[in-house]
Structure formats: C-alpha cells, structure tokens
Amino acid sequence: MPMNSQQEPIVIVIFGAGGDLAWRKLVPALYNLFLDRRLPERFAIVGVARHEMDDNAFRQRLREGVDLFSRRGKVEEQSWSEFASRLTYFAGDFTAPTTGALLRERLEQLDREWNGRADRVFYLAISPGLIETAARQLESLGVCKDCSRDRLVVEKPFGRDLASAVALNRLLTSLFAESQIYRIDHYLGKETVQNILAFRFANSLFEPIWNRRYIDHVQITVAETVGVEERGGYYDKAGALRDMVQNHLLQILCLIAMEPPVSFGADEVRNKKVDVLHAIRPIRPEEVHRMAVRGQYGRGTISGKPAPAYRDEPEVAADSATETFAALKLFIDNWRWQGVPFYLRTGKRLNAKISEVTILFRPAPHQLFPPAAVESWQPNRLVLRIQPEEGIVTRIQAKQPGTRLLLGPVDMQFRYRDAFTTTSPEAYETLLLDVIRGDATLFMRADQVESAWSVITPVLEAWEAAPPTDFPDYPAGSWGPESADLLTAKEGHSWLQPVGPEDEA
Ligand code: BG6
C-alpha cells in the first residue's frame, strides 16, 4: 500500500502494549491511519509490556482488537499483514536495564535500516503509578532527547489532585522539554469538539452575540449509560469529578468560552483556553454545597434492562462514597461572561448516552405578541451535539401554520451524517496523527492541567471532608440525583432534556 513517502520515518513505542487502551483504541487508530495512508512509508510500532508473548501472539491479539473496535470493522487480509509486519513486541519489565538496552538497540537498528534518524513517539499507556519510572528510564536511555524528533505521550489521569499534577509536571519537564510532552484528552480529538472552534471562529454569524448580553446561560452535559465496566478498581478511587470534569468537561467549557486566538498555533489556542480556566471564579469552601452536586447510582433500569447499583459493580467497595455523577455551576469572571452561569454535569448509568452543549439565549427584549400567541414560547437555543448523531441545532420561534397567530419553537438542524458522506476519524486517529506530525494544539499544556485541577480542588476537598450520607441517590437509568435540579433552580433555570438532531425536547 503506497504511503506518504514525504514524511520522516517514525517509530511508535507503546508502553503498556498488552493493555486495554492499546487493544481497543491505539492500534485500531494506527491501523486506520495506515489504511488512509496517513502514516509515513517507513514506520514501525514497538510494543512493550510485561506479559510473555512473541511477535506473532502480539499481532494476533491486536488483530482481534482491530476486528472488534475499528470503525471500519474487520481487517482486510492483505493490508493487515502489511501493517502487522511493522509490529514487534518486547516482553519485559521496561524499568529493567535489559529491556531498556534491547529497546535502544531496536531503535538504533531501525535508524540503520532507514538510513537516518527516525522520529520517535513514546506512548505511556500505563498506570499512573508507573509513569515516573518509565519517564526516568527513557531519559537515562537517551532515546528521547532530540526535542525536534522525540515525543512523549501521557494519558490521563494526569495526577489525582493539584499537588500530584504539579509534581508530575515538574518531573516530566525536568527530563524533557515541554514541547515534547503530549498530554492527551481524547475529547479534544473528537470531530465535533474541534468543530466548536470552526463554528465559533470560521463564521461571523454567532460571534457578535457570543457574550453575556445575549447569552443567558450555558449547559454542558456528558451523559453515559455505561457503568464503570471493568474499571471499578480505578474509578472507585477517582470518581466523576476527577474522571470527567477535570479534563473533558472543562476542556469543552474552554472551547465555548475562550476568546478568539490570533492564529491556530498550538500556544495561541492554549493560551486562550488557559485564560478561561484562570477566569473561573474560585469556589469558596463554604459555598461548595451551592455550586456542586454529587450522586451515585443505585439499582435501576436502562433501556428496559436491569442495571446493578454502583456498589455492586466489580472492584467497587460495598460502602463506596465515590460519586458517579457530578454537576457544577461555574462563573467566568471576565468581560465577556460576567454573571452567566455555566452548568456542567456528567454521570454514569444515566438515561441516555449524550454529550452536548446548549447555549440558552436571553429572551427578545420586547414582547410584542399577545400572550395567547406565545403559549409555547421558548428562548432561542443553540445545541452543539458532540455525540452521538453529531450536529448543531438552532431552536427558533416560528409562526405556526393557520389563521391564528400562534408562535412555537422549530429547529434548524445540521447533521454531520447528512452533510458529509465521509465518516469521521476516531478521536485517537486525529490525536495520534497530530503527535506524529508534532502538532500540540489539541493537547494539554502543563499550566492547563494545573489550572483545571485548581478549579475543582475546593470541591474535591469539601467532598472528601464530608462523605455523603445519602448514597446511592439516583436510580440507574434516571437523569441523576434530584439535588442536581437545585443547582439550576436557584438561578431560575432547569436542566434541559437533550434536543440534539432527531430528539424531541
Ligand atoms: C474516559 C473516562 O476518559 O472517557 C471514562 O475515563 C468515560 O470513564 C470515557 O467512560 C468517555 O469517553 P467517550 O469517548 O465514550 O465519551
């Protein structure tokens, strides 16, 4: 299969290659990039993990992963064997000098074969406790020291609180240049999340009204129907605030609230996003109960099927106080957003799998229609649907057909599926390609990660200091605990039922 011969050769080393992430996400993404001819002609993928396995067993396992999880479905024999010939595996503890020496030898051998120094990506798909050792090992091997060619990819969770995130950043930046470190937030690789930037800054229609004068409030919902699956061990120590809000939801908020950058350069965009995080009004300890709500699912029903309580999930403590639902009310203290509430909510085992941002506009300043005409009046609403059924909906008022003057809401819809025939790449495809090209725009800089931790720290501390007494407090299959309604009701608002393409309000 002809590849891009213009690009520099590249070696992608995956630490933790025997794990779930490599199996479900990374290798299917790399295989799709290969099929789309986005990888250079000379590339190699080197897996490192403790599990004993030879190259063939490794390839076979990854093939099963691609068959199951690739957006294109099962592999096609010839292209897979071509791709698989680039995959090799090292069994061993990568902190041991022997594994390190073997890895360095393999990298040097590839350079010799390719007649020049390849770019190198070291992907740390390992548990957070191993990152420090792996990073130190890479540094001491001297294989990741060329700032223009070598990159390190770090998965979330990036720390478990502000102090540990600062310590991790300090460690990594003492070993590598910041420009070499790619902290992944896979939401930023989603096509529709990136489309927020295009929507806001490639169109002149909405930007003039994108501020406190016209916008009443903003809601960001990332709802999941799944529970914690096989990740109970990790999740029970994390909870929804750390797992979803600190990263994905705050990043979406940044894209909605940021000022226009002067260019699409990595630091231009990231500077504007970090400005938003800095401007978020700190939550004082005594107001946490008014600004944040937590919940945990009990037994319930999802799509007609019984779902277990969180505390009955594998590897979860029987008396767990971990939140599986979190909602926040945030204010951004700057010129554009003063006084506009941003409501964020996310949870597991909710009623539907939906991620969307809803912008609620202020009512028209003067109501000239008689009350009888506006019975079902609703303020204008703009919905950016991230998943599923990606698209944008604008809800406007229209005259209902008939001789009576009666107004009602109608939706103008844009659906990715209708507008484009090509399928969107998976988030990991976009992000891996960016790493290969050395474009860090969609990755988290150290200060972004730390600012995001600062935003949620008061809530984490207050929640840890006062364990909940009412868990579980929402049944699986609902929209979360009733207390979440109070968060919005205090400002005279209410959570909106999703209104993405095809849905009813
Ligand atoms: C991950 C979280 O970052 O995002 C998971 O750790 C969550 O708990 C997942 O399920 C959601 O991602 P997506 O792409 O399915 O919305």
Side-chain angles (χ1 to χ4, degrees), residues 152-195:
L152 187 74
V153 185
V154 188
E155 268 289 334
K156 69 173 271 267
F158 200 89
R160 61 169 278 109
D161 53 22
L162 179 59
S164 54
V166 169
L168 186 53
N169 276 331
R170 211 169 276 156
L171 170 86
L172 292 178
T173 50
S174 73
L175 302 173
F176 310 100
E178 173 64 34
S179 61
Q180 292 180 277
I181 306 168
Y182 286 66
R183 298 171 192 81
I184 274 208
D185 182 323
H186 81 278
Y187 262 64
L188 297 179
K190 288 185 191 275
E191 201 84 334
T192 31
V193 172
Q194 290 179 62
N195 197 38

Side-chain angles (χ1 to χ4, degrees), residues 66-353:
V66 174
D67 281 345
L68 283 170
F69 303 112
S70 163
R71 66 183 161 90
R72 289 191 166 101
K74 283 191 190 287
V75 300
E76 186 268 311
E77 210 53 59
Q78 199 195 331
S79 60
W80 173 258
S81 57
E82 230 179 288
F83 178 79
S85 68
R86 319 295 188 95
L87 295 169
T88 50
Y89 182 72
F90 276 108
D93 174 358
F94 55 79
T95 58
T98 40
T99 318
L102 279 172
L103 176 63
R104 186 171 48 207
E105 172 47 32
R106 173 84 181 118
L107 295 171
E108 287 166 0
Q109 181 202 337
L110 284 166
D111 288 348
R112 283 194 297 276
E113 271 171 32
W114 289 335
N115 243 339
R117 170 70 151 79
D119 287 4
R120 294 169 183 167
V121 170
F122 298 93
Y123 201 116
L124 304 187
I126 50 181
S127 67
L130 296 173
I131 289 179
E132 172 167 357
T133 331
R136 286 192 191 281
Q137 169 80 329
L138 281 176
E139 200 268 342
S140 72
L141 286 171
V143 290
C144 183
K145 61 180 181 200
D146 184 337
C147 290
S148 61
R149 291 186 177 280
D150 303 332
R151 278 143 243 161
L152 187 74
V153 185
V154 188
E155 268 289 334
K156 69 173 271 267
F158 200 89
R160 61 169 278 109
D161 53 22
L162 179 59
S164 54
V166 169
L168 186 53
N169 276 331
R170 211 169 276 156
L171 170 86
L172 292 178
T173 50
S174 73
L175 302 173
F176 310 100
E178 173 64 34
S179 61
Q180 292 180 277
I181 306 168
Y182 286 66
R183 298 171 192 81
I184 274 208
D185 182 323
H186 81 278
Y187 262 64
L188 297 179
K190 288 185 191 275
E191 201 84 334
T192 31
V193 172
Q194 290 179 62
N195 197 38
I196 297 175
L197 283 179
F199 178 80
R200 286 195 54 201
F201 302 130
N203 298 295
S204 55
L205 197 58
F206 288 100
E207 204 46 30
I209 54 169
W210 208 256
N211 56 55
R212 62 186 301 279
R213 286 181 63 198
Y214 297 96
I215 293 179
D216 184 67
H217 71 278
V218 176
Q219 299 191 7
I220 300 174
T221 295
V222 178
E224 298 186 276
T225 48
V226 290
V228 289
E229 321 247 82
E230 65 293 336
R231 295 162 71 231
Y234 147 76
Y235 193 90
D236 207 34
K237 293 192 192 73
L241 201 58
R242 289 189 174 92
D243 185 52
M244 297 293 287
V245 179
Q246 186 272 341
N247 36 70
H248 309 324
L249 277 86
L250 284 178
Q251 285 305 307
I252 296 173
L253 178 141
C254 286
L255 293 171
I256 296 293
M258 69 194 270
E259 295 299 316
V262 289
S263 76
F264 208 57
D267 278 327
E268 295 294 347
V269 173
R270 297 193 292 183
N271 288 343
K272 298 295 183 203
K273 286 167 72 178
V274 99
D275 282 350
V276 174
L277 294 169
H278 286 161
I280 292 177
R281 188 182 305 162
I283 301 178
R284 292 195 305 272
E286 65 276 15
E287 58 182 11
V288 167
H289 67 285
R290 284 194 288 115
M291 308 296 276
V293 166
R294 59 184 153 173
Q296 186 192 78
Y297 61 85
R299 252 181 300 151
T301 312
I302 297 187
S303 309
K305 293 201 189 101
Y310 173 69
R311 289 174 176 180
D312 295 333
E313 301 272 17
E315 292 181 60
V316 169
D319 58 350
S320 173
T322 301
E323 82 284 356
T324 59
F325 176 97
L328 291 185
K329 175 164 60 185
L330 297 174
F331 289 94
I332 300 174
D333 283 339
N334 64 15
W335 194 276
R336 187 189 284 263
W337 295 115
Q338 192 58 243
V340 177
F342 282 74
Y343 301 107
L344 280 52
R345 68 173 166 170
T346 183
K348 298 219 177 265
R349 292 262 194 246
L350 295 182
N351 183 273
K353 177 173 171 61

